[in-house]
Amino acid sequence: MNPAHRERRRLDPLAHLPYEIRRAIEITPAAGTRERIVDITTTGRRTGRPRRIEIFFYRANGATYLCSGAGAGPTDWYANLRANPTFTFHLKNGIRADLPAHATIVTDPTERAAVIAAIVDDLNQPHDPGTIRPTRLQDWSAGRLIRIDFD
């Protein structure tokens, strides 16, 4: 990738995607439950087989995330992404698209705290995003957090 494209992607990680797909990913606090639900296909860490699940995605600080939410119990999707960070992000509401993606586990405490706080604030907006509300920051602070980069 040439330096100009790399810089544009750093400033806007969705710039390389078609407008309709960017719009579907760039949800705001006004987005309802349906707009937040996607499927992801990971590679099973033990079997090597594709594993597809339905999951919520979140936007915070200009980036896209997956989070295990309240509680810190083990999740297969997280373990699979730790073993093989390449996966497919499937948009399925409004627009259908299968997007190749890469997962980065968020371990930096400052980034984690800022992103989880933004997710909780988003979910506690006055609109009704679904069954997630009410959401308390202390319930989400230990959740698994993955940043998504779209290829």
Side-chain angles (χ1 to χ4, degrees), residues 8 13 23 33 40 49-50 65 71 75 78 82 88 107 110-112 134 141 144:
R8 187 168 7 132
R23 216 169 130 205
T33 301
I40 61 170
R49 294 183 186 151
Y65 294 90
T75 59
Y78 181 82
R82 282 183 60 109
T88 304
T107 57
T110 303
E111 181 181 4
R112 281 185 56 80
S141 62
R144 278 95 167 100

Side-chain angles (χ1 to χ4, degrees), residues 36-40 53-57 66-67 77 92:
R36 298 170 187 273
I37 297 174
V38 295
D39 287 351
I40 61 170
I53 64 158
E54 186 173 78
I55 191 169
F56 287 93
F57 78 99
L66 299 175
C67 185
W77 66 265
K92 60 184 189 173

Side-chain angles (χ1 to χ4, degrees), residues 84-134:
N84 182 354
T86 302
F87 72 105
T88 304
F89 184 92
H90 306 278
L91 287 171
K92 60 184 189 173
N93 294 300
I95 186 168
R96 294 191 178 275
D98 300 324
L99 306 173
H102 184 86
T104 301
I105 297 167
V106 180
T107 57
D108 176 70
T110 303
E111 181 181 4
R112 281 185 56 80
V115 169
I116 291 174
I119 289 170
V120 169
D121 286 347
D122 180 6
L123 295 175
N124 283 323
Q125 293 298 310
H127 66 88
D128 182 16
T131 59
I132 298 172
R133 283 192 36 205

